[in-house]
Amino acid sequence: MYDLVIRNGLIIGADGKIAADLAIDGERIAAIGTRLEGRRVLDAGGCYVIPGGIDPHVHLQMPLAGLVSSDSFTSGTVAAACGGTTTIIDFVEPQPGQFMLEALAWRRAEAAEQVAIDFGLHMTIPTWHAAEADRLDEVAAVVEAGCLSFKMYQAYAGMILDDVSLLRALTAVGQAGGRTVLHSETGPVLDMLREEARAEGHLEPIWHAYTRPAQLEASAVHRAAELADLAGCPLYIFHVGCRESVEEIIKARHRGIDIWGETCPQYLLLNAEEHLGGLNGELYVCAPPLRSIDDNQAMWLALAQNDLHVVSTDHCPWTKEEKRRDDFTSIPGGVPSIEARLSLIHHMGVNAGLLTLERWVQVCSTNAARWMGLKGKGRLAPGCDADIVIFDPARVKYIAPDTLHEAAGWTPYEGMEVTGWPRTVLSRGAVIVEDEQYVGHPGHGRFVERS
Ligand code: MN
């Protein structure tokens, strides 16, 4: 007799699917088989049983220029849970002069008391940390503390690493057995183009896209891939949205470079002309910018062909008021989608015939678990964490701010109807969403030490 058995579902993993029961003891999966008996039984008839979604790129209660992103660790992780995501990875941003371990302890504690689901943290290496060689001595201890991945930037004042600093940081991370996640855009050239546009009086949101051309994303990816290879550091390119960057990733992989690419719903479903160039274009400012419909299609194809490997959200929500600025260069960047990610990719990917069910599970869960070192997550097998979604593929959900738990008060996907939505969600064996209602408690989530 197991603690809990999920009956009659179609169990879908990265490698295949099987109609079977799944049994849980405590926090772990105990067995997959037929006629399993449990003290508690959940019927998954007509539903998929999949590993909980993993969103390895979110920004909850993130301070930026006097603002804080709209979702707290509580509201953001409750929204994630309701959408079938059971693990997120957020960020630590050490301040000038602050030790990375101190910043990690602080951010970890801030999140831990609030989170509805498990979480990890990426360690940011800002400009000042890379500039002081002895600061990087701390990298090994940060890896040891369960923070396996380091965030680096090729753009943004205060964050940017020039090629020398980037190589130095990549080498330190590679030697410590860590890995690097990267914001790839050629920042100094973008800054010049943005200043030129402003000087000519171009302040509208569409200029956000005009001044961040795809070539300057792709050339940054190219340089970073070469530097990561020299440094011996695995590299993961965040939020790829243009065909040119995918081509650089493919070429680098053909040369044997250890590089992965991630995209996000906004680069699959939204485009610059219609959204950034439309009414309320400021809402759609995020970096890299939205691209073209042609690029959207290229991202779907790249996902299907394993040229891109993960769909995260880069969830970085701001209210409409916060995003309303007269000048495109001062709009806080980012869009929300932490809750609808799994269903958006199911509806627009699987239902549209672009992705198989297995590929959907890979890009929304299994691959991120593997690359990010989330042991025991992203798979349904005995011994793994019982992070599980019972997903009803026939449930029609109307997406709008009041049907979601996100706090921004708007969503880029408002008015969309998706077919397929999570019914019940388990986090380490505990039912935290039941019949689409959140029934867990904030603070349930734990920091996951990644290795
Ligand atoms: Mn981001």
Side-chain angles (χ1 to χ4, degrees):
M1 184 73 78
Y2 297 103
D3 288 344
L4 190 153
V5 168
I6 299 173
R7 284 241 178 90
N8 303 324
L10 182 66
I11 298 175
I12 303 168
D15 305 318
K17 44 189 188 286
I18 177 178
D21 300 340
L22 184 150
I24 295 163
D25 263 338
E27 299 191 335
R28 300 249 165 92
I29 296 169
I32 290 175
T34 49
R35 288 189 290 277
L36 303 178
E37 298 293 332
R39 276 179 284 279
R40 183 173 178 192
V41 174
L42 296 174
D43 182 45
C47 290
Y48 303 146
V49 177
I50 59 174
I54 293 171
D55 188 345
H57 185 173
V58 305
H59 301 277
L60 303 180
Q61 59 186 71
M62 180 187 77
L64 179 75
L67 302 173
V68 180
S69 62
S70 319
D71 273 309
S72 66
F73 276 108
T74 299
S75 70
T77 55
V78 168
C82 291
T85 289
T86 53
T87 307
I88 54 159
I89 307 181
D90 202 283
F91 295 83
V92 184
E93 294 190 342
Q95 298 307 300
Q98 188 182 31
F99 285 106
M100 292 188 219
L101 283 175
E102 181 192 346
L104 170 62
W106 190 87
R107 184 72 168 164
R108 178 178 164 173
E110 182 184 34
E113 59 186 25
Q114 296 187 59
V115 285
I117 55 176
D118 288 350
F119 73 105
L121 292 166
H122 303 289
M123 177 60 66
T124 306
I125 300 186
T127 311
W128 48 82
H129 273 71
E132 294 173 43
D134 56 344
R135 282 276 170 204
L136 295 173
D137 293 347
E138 217 191 338
V139 162
V142 173
V143 171
E144 198 59 35
C147 199
L148 182 70
S149 47
F150 292 77
K151 170 80 181 282
M152 302 180 198
Y153 289 84
Q154 290 172 289
Y156 296 122
M159 293 296 178
I160 185 169
L161 305 187
D162 62 21
D163 286 0
V164 173
S165 300
L166 186 57
L167 179 59
R168 191 187 288 140
L170 285 165
T171 302
V173 170
Q175 283 174 352
R179 22 198 54 206
T180 294
V181 293
L182 187 68
H183 181 119
S184 248
E185 284 187 293
T186 307
V189 186
L190 304 185
D191 292 343
M192 186 206 76
L193 296 178
R194 285 152 68 81
E195 273 317 306
E196 273 183 8
R198 255 162 52 112
E200 287 165 20
H202 300 303
L203 302 178
E204 304 82 2
I206 191 67
W207 284 87
H208 178 71
Y210 294 162
T211 56
R212 302 181 94 91
Q215 297 96 310
L216 295 179
E217 187 184 314
S219 55
V221 171
H222 179 85
R223 290 199 318 283
E226 298 298 341
L227 294 173
D229 193 36
L230 282 174
C233 184
L235 181 64
Y236 175 110
I237 306 295
F238 267 168
H239 43 45
V240 175
C242 62
R243 187 185 284 280
E244 290 84 347
S245 292
V246 172
E247 284 166 1
E248 291 298 338
I249 291 171
I250 294 171
K251 279 193 276 180
R253 287 171 65 82
H254 279 165
R255 290 199 301 280
I257 295 176
D258 189 353
I259 182 172
W260 274 33
E262 156 199 284
T263 191
C264 314
Q266 55 270 32
Y267 303 110
L268 293 160
L269 302 174
L270 309 177
N271 66 83
E273 193 185 0
E274 187 180 339
H275 297 98
L276 213 43
L279 221 58
N280 305 319
E282 70 277 4
L283 295 180
Y284 301 94
V285 166
C286 57
L290 302 181
R291 306 290 186 186
S292 67
I293 290 173
D294 176 64
D295 286 297
N296 296 156
Q297 288 165 348
M299 295 312 107
W300 282 114
L301 191 64
L303 270 184
Q305 294 182 337
N306 201 34
D307 295 326
L308 292 176
H309 309 85
V310 170
V311 179
S312 76
T313 58
D314 195 8
H315 180 80
C316 192
W318 309 98
T319 64
K320 285 184 173 176
E321 292 66 36
E322 288 166 337
K323 295 208 76 147
R324 197 163 291 135
R325 305 287 174 97
D326 296 332
D327 171 351
F328 76 92
T329 63
S330 67
I331 300 168
V335 295
S337 70
I338 199 168
E339 187 163 350
R341 178 185 66 123
L342 204 61
S343 291
L344 286 170
I345 303 308
H346 175 264
H347 182 77
M348 300 299 288
V350 177
N351 290 351
L354 299 172
L355 303 179
T356 63
L357 284 167
E358 290 88 347
R359 188 63 186 158
W360 171 56
V361 168
Q362 288 169 22
V363 300
C364 290
S365 178
T366 312
N367 286 355
R370 213 175 100 205
W371 200 92
M372 299 291 167
L374 291 160
K375 298 252 164 68
K377 298 204 182 284
R379 294 189 311 127
L380 298 181
C384 290
D385 286 357
D387 291 353
I388 297 170
V389 176
I390 300 177
F391 187 91
D392 181 351
R395 166 82 163 109
V396 177
K397 172 97 171 179
Y398 178 81
I399 298 182
D402 59 358
T403 65
L404 298 177
H405 300 76
E406 298 174 353
W410 69 281
T411 166
Y413 309 103
E414 173 153 15
M416 251 183 94
E417 262 184 7
V418 292
T419 303
W421 194 262
R423 178 192 289 176
T424 295
V425 179
L426 287 80
S427 165
R428 279 181 285 102
V431 175
I432 59 168
V433 175
E434 188 167 15
D435 293 330
E436 302 185 22
Q437 299 300 311
Y438 176 66
V439 296
H441 64 273
H444 162 84
R446 281 191 206 141
F447 178 70
V448 184
E449 292 195 9
R450 297 179 293 125
S451 58

